[in-house]
Amino acid sequence: MTNILSIIRRLARMTSIVGLLMLAPVLADAQSGVLIPSSKDAPDPSVLSLDEMVVNVSIDNQFARVRVIQIFGNHTDQAQEGKYIFAIPTTASISDFAVWDGDVRIPGVILENRRAEELYRDLALQEIDPGLLGQEGEDQDSTVFRVKLAPIPGYGTKRLELEYSEVLRVENLESFFSFPFRPADYGAQKIGRLQIRLQIAGKFPMTELSFKSTQYRLSFIENRPEYKSAGFDANDVDLTEDLAFSYGIAVPETAFEFLAYRAMERISADELRDPRLAQREPDGYFEASAVFNEGRRAPGEAEPAPPRSVLVMLDTSLSMNGEKLDRAFETVEGVLKSLTPRDTFNLILFNDEVTSFSKDASAATASQVESALGFVKSSYLSGGTDFAAALERATGMLKAMPSKGQRSLVLITDGNSSLGTTKMRLIVDRFNKANEAGPRARLCVFGIGTDTNIGLLSELARSSRGFFDWTRQTDDLSFKLKSFLSKVGREPIDSLKLQANESANFYQVYPDYDSTAYDGTRLSFVGRYKRPGQAALSITGSSSGRPLRLSQQVTLPDKDDSHPHVERLWARARVDALLRQIALEGETREAIDEIIALSKKYKFVTPYTSFLAAPRSLLRPRVIRPGDPVLKIRADQSITEVTAVFPFGLTKQLSYIKSEDIWETRFIAPREMSDGVYKCRLILLDVKGRAYQEEKSFVIDSRPPRLQATLSQTLVHAGDELAITVRADNDTRAIAARMFGALPAPVVWSAKAKASVGYLRIPAALPSGSYTIQITADDFAHNSSTIEMTIEVVGNG
């Protein structure tokens, strides 16, 4: 074993070597700016390079939209597939994606992950230009996304566009923005030409921008307190820094803000088929927020700290290597040096064991702080992480410390528990149980790394009325660390909730639990309303033991499309609530289906969906059995005529079905056609008489899906739930399980199980005996297959 500081750099190199063998760890830690040829394990500019990049940043009242355009060059005579990996902020979500085929922009379509991957592979094999964007790995908290591009022609280029949005937090009446240019694992990348465009507008006056990076010297076009516009343009740029800046918000006292959006309801393709849904009145969406300035402080001014009792926990497991270790030590140093001799403290290091700096807590004198930092420097990285055990030990130690004001447990980690229990619910429950005895400790969590377990760490902080923040290992820590330290040991503004009179007709309001904020921060509630009108709203809570109430009469507009981002804020909050439910209670078909539906409707990527960009006529290749007579396609509204030329010599003109917005024709596939993928040529004419040509794929499939099923048990009691796991062909569309006296149980795909899983409830009144479970499956060509399995039921009579 080696001293921590001496292995920081060496472990960074070692991790790359190990990671190439295991593959996943490298991908999980990669930052934006990394383009990797499929034939390589690391970026190689002699094969694929990032030739041009344009970054447009627009910030409107803390809502940031970031649009990125990239042009990649292939320097070989062979077609290449590339993977571009990038990280987005913890609160951000991907909202748009497109690739270009020559001069034609091909927008992305949200699809379920498994379907997107299948189509991508099929199209790439056909040398059709697809692009696939999805979340890296299976971790629901991952903020690393990947873009697959194929094929990039020999000595050709490929253009990609993506957009993400995020709500910028307010801390100490300041906001911080960062765009992750700098790679974490592969060294600095170079761009042939880089352009940056920045616009910021706000309801409250803004201070001057304070740039944390010196590489990108933006030139201001306008620089007023209410509006700022700037740009940057340079050639041959080495990406050694992220673009990062902060600015203050001049709010003289606590302020209430309200935004609403109500326009024509987004109707998905599936909903269009239901006339009741197509004719419904649109919902409205709202954001009600408060910017707290109870102390009436200036931007950036921190409240003086009261005496505190602080126990610092530093994760020293092997996952905290490389630049993560740099940031972790910087954070520990910042926390300890922010303490004063009035404060008491102790420090523990944890991995598979827990080691404390001192048996007893001591005053945070300069000499004791230096001794504690020396203790960290002389320690080692080793083993895994037993989170639950470390939290129990730390909670007991903190409660035994002399009480000076608030008891704060400061946790510095990536949150990746690998020993003991790794389930979020069990870890949170064990911590809460340990924290219930005696004075409760407030957990202050600082996550480090792109692989931070955001779900677990935020849930731990929430359960103790604490707070959570995280940083990428390449970030400049100054802003986030300052805001984090300003909260340690301070009383929050607590038990915050949104209240409204009955006329508001609000529903699905998030956050849906009592929230915690701090003076100098901003807290928002988002929700839906059914009818326009007037409403009385209040944000209530307590501040320093005193009741707090912010009230305002607001208008719920009949139509107002000036804030279109509000409905996406609500949809993102709803998905986050469902993901939290899944993390705590496990996956359910209803939750996954709703996440996928919201992702498709509001266009953002989730752990269950991806963007796929390819010609629209190819995204849904028709799967048919010989003799099936219908071909359907969707086309642009400018198209007036569509003709299909089939591979077996038939030419048919398609008819437009206005009610379904599709073109269709009936045809006969010869029964002698063998199973496989076929193409028909589509000739399209638009209103100006211009002709276009595309290919439509369809699949002849006469073979029913093959099934393999297992039961969680073959002897069950009446009233029990039986788990059924089914592995089926990739083209299987629907699977269901049935038995006498029970409702049919859908069997749906589970990414975790890598199979389809369903749960059949055995009727409580079923008498003892042998019963048959019938499992049926249909594929996209409507072929069906059935298997039967026998169970023994023990009745309750």
Side-chain angles (χ1 to χ4, degrees):
M1 292 192 293
T2 312
N3 178 280
I4 277 189
L5 292 185
S6 69
I7 66 170
I8 287 176
R9 299 303 176 196
R10 187 163 65 85
L11 266 180
R13 295 192 296 270
M14 289 173 60
T15 302
S16 296
I17 295 170
V18 175
L20 295 179
L21 298 176
M22 298 179 66
L23 194 60
V26 167
L27 299 183
D29 285 339
Q31 294 286 307
S32 68
V34 177
L35 178 64
I36 304 174
S38 59
S39 58
K40 303 282 185 177
D41 294 317
D44 186 348
S46 67
V47 179
L48 293 175
S49 64
L50 183 50
D51 293 347
E52 295 184 41
M53 187 172 187
V54 179
V55 179
N56 290 312
V57 181
S58 174
I59 302 173
D60 182 8
N61 287 297
Q62 310 311 117
F63 182 79
R65 293 179 60 187
V66 181
R67 188 160 196 85
V68 182
I69 300 172
Q70 296 134 328
I71 298 177
F72 306 116
N74 181 358
H75 300 280
T76 72
D77 60 358
Q78 302 292 319
Q80 297 285 339
E81 176 178 303
K83 176 185 282 188
Y84 185 69
I85 305 175
F86 61 98
I88 62 172
T90 176
T91 58
S93 59
I94 300 289
S95 54
D96 194 18
F97 171 65
V99 297
W100 287 70
D101 184 11
D103 296 329
V104 179
R105 183 180 188 272
I106 304 173
V109 174
I110 291 281
L111 296 171
E112 189 174 356
N113 279 341
R114 185 170 64 158
R115 181 63 175 150
E117 288 280 0
E118 290 171 1
L119 282 172
Y120 176 85
R121 289 194 298 268
D122 290 345
L123 295 175
L125 287 172
Q126 299 173 50
E127 296 190 355
I128 295 165
D129 291 333
L132 178 66
L133 181 147
Q135 194 160 318
E136 185 67 30
E138 296 185 0
D139 185 357
Q140 292 175 351
D141 298 318
S142 176
T143 58
V144 179
F145 289 79
R146 72 192 190 281
V147 177
K148 288 184 179 179
L149 296 174
I152 305 173
Y155 298 116
T157 61
K158 177 63 65 179
R159 175 172 170 172
L160 174 147
E161 296 179 15
L162 62 91
E163 180 181 290
Y164 71 79
S165 59
E166 65 168 319
V167 178
L168 302 185
R169 291 164 45 182
V170 177
E171 303 281 354
N172 295 319
L173 298 180
E174 290 184 306
S175 269
F176 177 79
F177 173 84
S178 174
F179 182 84
F181 280 118
R182 179 188 173 198
D185 290 305
Y186 301 108
Q189 303 292 295
K190 176 171 281 190
I191 296 181
R193 184 184 181 189
L194 173 63
Q195 293 178 285
I196 302 172
R197 299 289 180 264
L198 172 66
Q199 297 181 70
I200 310 176
K203 178 179 178 181
F204 302 107
M206 295 173 284
T207 65
E208 296 295 316
L209 301 189
S210 174
F211 286 93
K212 312 303 177 184
S213 49
T214 59
Q215 184 176 9
Y216 316 104
R217 298 187 180 277
L218 276 71
S219 300
F220 280 89
I221 303 167
E222 291 189 60
N223 191 8
R224 295 182 282 112
E226 298 81 13
Y227 179 77
K228 301 180 186 297
S229 175
F232 172 87
D233 194 334
N235 296 324
D236 297 325
V237 180
D238 291 311
L239 300 179
T240 59
E241 293 182 327
D242 293 343
L243 171 66
F245 60 83
S246 62
Y247 57 93
I249 302 171
V251 182
E253 59 184 359
T254 299
F256 188 108
E257 298 177 281
F258 184 81
L259 298 176
Y261 174 84
R262 191 172 192 256
M264 185 64 68
E265 178 80 2
R266 291 175 185 260
I267 302 295
S268 67
D270 293 335
E271 291 173 330
L272 277 171
R273 299 187 182 95
D274 189 333
R276 297 170 301 173
L277 295 176
Q279 297 172 12
R280 69 185 175 193
E281 282 293 309
D283 273 357
Y285 301 82
F286 71 88
E287 179 188 24
S289 59
V291 180
F292 297 103
N293 192 3
E294 295 293 280
R296 303 198 176 189
R297 295 176 286 137
E301 181 184 346
E303 179 185 358
R308 298 166 287 182
S309 297
V310 177
L311 177 62
V312 180
M313 298 178 64
L314 174 62
D315 184 348
T316 55
S317 64
L318 286 173
S319 67
M320 296 291 291
N321 60 60
E323 291 194 77
K324 287 165 72 173
L325 186 57
D326 282 332
R327 300 289 83 77
F329 184 80
E330 190 177 343
T331 305
V332 170
E333 186 176 35
V335 172
L336 294 182
K337 290 189 175 182
S338 72
L339 302 177
T340 71
R342 299 186 304 158
D343 304 320
T344 57
F345 85 101
N346 204 344
L347 179 145
I348 64 173
L349 310 178
F350 70 96
N351 38 62
D352 50 1
E353 298 178 346
V354 177
T355 309
S356 62
F357 160 62
S358 174
K359 180 180 178 182
D360 300 309
S362 59
T365 62
S367 61
Q368 281 295 95
V369 166
E370 288 303 321
S371 295
L373 292 174
F375 170 71
V376 174
K377 293 175 185 178
S378 63
S379 302
Y380 304 95
L381 294 183
S382 67
T385 311
D386 190 340
F387 238 84
L391 284 168
E392 286 177 335
R393 171 83 176 273
T395 303
M397 288 178 60
L398 183 61
K399 291 180 184 296
M401 288 171 58
S403 177
K404 282 193 176 182
Q406 187 187 110
R407 298 175 186 268
S408 297
L409 191 59
V410 177
L411 174 61
I412 301 164
T413 178
D414 59 12
N416 293 309
S417 182
S418 57
L419 300 174
T421 181
T422 59
K423 293 184 177 180
M424 179 193 294
R425 169 67 76 183
L426 295 178
I427 294 173
V428 173
D429 287 348
R430 283 180 64 177
F431 169 66
N432 287 335
K433 184 177 180 180
N435 202 20
E436 284 171 359
R440 288 181 63 86
R442 195 184 304 277
L443 188 58
C444 315
V445 187
F446 199 79
I448 296 177
T450 52
D451 60 343
T452 295
N453 190 334
I454 298 169
L456 171 62
L457 297 182
S458 59
E459 191 65 30
L460 283 167
R462 183 185 297 117
S463 69
S464 67
R465 295 171 53 244
F467 58 91
F468 164 71
D469 199 356
W470 87 227
T471 182
R472 293 181 290 258
Q473 59 264 45
T474 58
D475 282 349
D476 178 283
L477 279 189
S478 55
F479 179 84
K480 287 191 174 181
L481 191 54
K482 176 185 174 182
S483 64
F484 182 80
L485 296 177
S486 71
K487 301 173 188 174
V488 175
R490 290 173 174 80
E491 284 296 324
I493 303 171
D494 214 353
S495 303
L496 289 162
K497 63 184 70 175
L498 180 69
Q499 297 180 338
N501 58 0
E502 290 185 5
S503 63
N505 55 86
F506 289 170
Y507 70 108
Q508 290 185 332
V509 178
Y510 299 100
D512 54 358
Y513 47 83
D514 288 1
S515 299
T516 298
Y518 286 79
D519 203 21
T521 66
R522 180 177 186 265
L523 176 70
S524 292
F525 295 89
V526 292
R528 307 175 78 166
Y529 65 90
K530 295 183 178 180
R531 295 179 300 279
Q534 299 294 312
L537 300 187
S538 295
I539 294 177
T540 63
S542 63
S543 176
S544 301
R546 295 177 287 102
L548 179 143
R549 187 180 191 89
L550 303 173
S551 299
Q552 188 168 313
Q553 192 75 18
V554 301
T555 298
L556 308 177
D558 178 49
K559 182 178 181 182
D560 186 343
D561 57 3
S562 56
H563 304 288
H565 69 275
V566 173
E567 64 170 348
R568 294 192 75 256
L569 287 179
W570 170 83
R572 182 74 254 183
R574 173 62 180 164
V575 166
D576 288 344
L578 291 168
L579 290 174
R580 177 180 176 235
Q581 172 188 315
I582 286 172
L584 290 171
E585 302 172 9
E587 291 181 326
T588 64
R589 180 181 58 82
E590 293 80 7
I592 293 173
D593 287 350
E594 186 175 355
I595 289 170
I596 292 171
L598 288 168
S599 173
K600 290 180 178 180
K601 188 171 183 177
Y602 295 96
K603 284 194 71 176
F604 55 82
V605 174
T606 72
Y608 296 97
T609 54
S610 299
F611 268 113
L612 179 68
R616 291 302 176 95
S617 61
L618 300 174
L619 286 179
R620 297 191 179 196
R622 185 86 166 105
V623 184
I624 63 176
R625 287 183 293 182
D628 184 67
V630 182
L631 173 70
K632 298 182 180 182
I633 70 164
R634 294 190 186 276
D636 189 85
Q637 293 182 348
S638 64
I639 298 300
T640 60
E641 184 178 319
V642 181
T643 302
V645 181
F646 292 91
F648 44 86
L650 178 67
T651 299
K652 293 278 290 185
Q653 189 165 345
L654 280 69
S655 301
Y656 180 62
I657 310 300
K658 186 175 182 180
S659 61
E660 299 182 42
D661 189 27
I662 61 170
W663 295 81
E664 76 170 34
T665 187
R666 307 186 74 83
F667 73 101
I668 300 296
R671 296 193 176 276
E672 61 270 17
M673 290 184 74
S674 59
D675 287 3
V677 179
Y678 296 87
K679 298 178 181 178
C680 67
R681 190 156 49 97
L682 299 175
I683 301 171
L684 303 92
L685 294 178
D686 67 9
V687 291
K688 295 184 179 180
R690 294 174 296 195
Y692 303 89
Q693 185 169 287
E694 286 189 8
E695 286 186 333
K696 172 75 173 178
S697 299
F698 63 93
V699 180
I700 297 294
D701 183 6
S702 60
R703 181 177 57 79
R706 292 170 295 184
L707 303 177
Q708 290 182 332
T710 57
L711 305 177
S712 59
Q713 51 192 331
T714 56
L715 178 64
V716 296
H717 288 80
D720 284 354
E721 190 174 67
L722 178 67
I724 302 169
T725 302
V726 179
R727 287 174 170 79
D729 292 340
N730 286 339
D731 63 345
T732 303
R733 180 177 60 89
I735 307 174
R738 296 174 173 82
M739 72 167 290
F740 172 77
L743 292 173
V747 182
V748 298
W749 175 255
S750 166
K752 185 176 181 180
K754 292 183 171 55
S756 297
V757 179
Y759 299 92
L760 185 70
R761 177 67 66 181
I762 308 300
L766 203 65
S768 299
S770 297
Y771 293 87
T772 299
I773 304 289
Q774 188 179 71
I775 302 169
T776 60
D778 297 321
D779 62 18
F780 289 99
H782 305 292
N783 298 302
S784 297
S785 59
T786 301
I787 60 174
E788 294 183 348
M789 307 183 77
T790 301
I791 62 171
E792 293 292 329
V793 175
V794 178
N796 295 319

